[in-house]
Amino acid sequence: MSDTAAGWYDDGSGTMRWWDGTAWTERTQPPPPPQPGLGGFIAQAQADAVAGAQPRPAQAGMSYVVLQVVLKEKFFGSGSGNLTELERAINAQASLGYRLHTITTASSGSTGFGGGDRIQATLVFEKLV
């Protein structure tokens, strides 16, 4: 189950695909042109983070799916929710018949916009045969 609202998201192939709130649909459209300036950069980073966390099957003929999940440490307080976010991504792929093969993380080392360090988790899932 995903907490991501229904809407158009990049499905990982560069194509915008309709996410109905629980699964990808067959509805697609070309991606919108990039927005200029800092606002466009931030919007694209947010869209990439949301799309990366969505479950998706491997492309035809492939046995692996690679997802990137952008995590953020809370600036104030505790309870970032990062483990829950990773758990959701892993369980969503498991429901599609994949198991986690590899996970790596990288930290930006800066507080970024709005504080809190950003961590990128790259997850590789393998199709169960």
Side-chain angles (χ1 to χ4, degrees):
M1 170 78 39
S2 173
D3 289 336
T4 304
W8 291 102
Y9 298 100
D10 184 325
D11 68 3
S13 70
T15 299
M16 300 302 288
R17 185 174 299 275
W18 183 257
W19 173 258
D20 68 9
T22 58
W24 291 110
T25 68
E26 294 301 313
R27 295 172 52 198
T28 61
Q29 67 181 23
Q35 297 175 25
L38 183 58
F41 174 77
I42 292 170
Q44 184 62 47
Q46 290 171 333
D48 289 346
V50 170
Q54 300 306 320
R56 62 177 180 260
Q59 294 177 351
M62 301 290 187
S63 299
Y64 294 90
V65 171
V66 178
L67 298 178
Q68 290 184 326
V69 180
V70 177
L71 308 169
K72 183 180 176 210
E73 291 300 318
K74 286 187 80 168
F75 189 62
F76 296 108
S78 61
S80 67
N82 287 341
L83 291 178
T84 303
E85 189 66 30
L86 286 174
E87 185 179 55
R88 278 190 204 117
I90 292 167
N91 285 329
Q93 284 303 124
S95 71
L96 294 174
Y98 294 85
R99 69 174 170 203
L100 183 63
H101 180 276
T102 308
I103 183 171
T104 60
T105 59
S107 175
S108 68
S110 76
T111 58
F113 300 110
D117 194 23
R118 274 135 176 98
I119 300 166
Q120 177 178 315
T122 303
L123 299 88
V124 178
F125 294 90
E126 180 178 26
K127 180 78 172 168
L128 296 173
V129 182

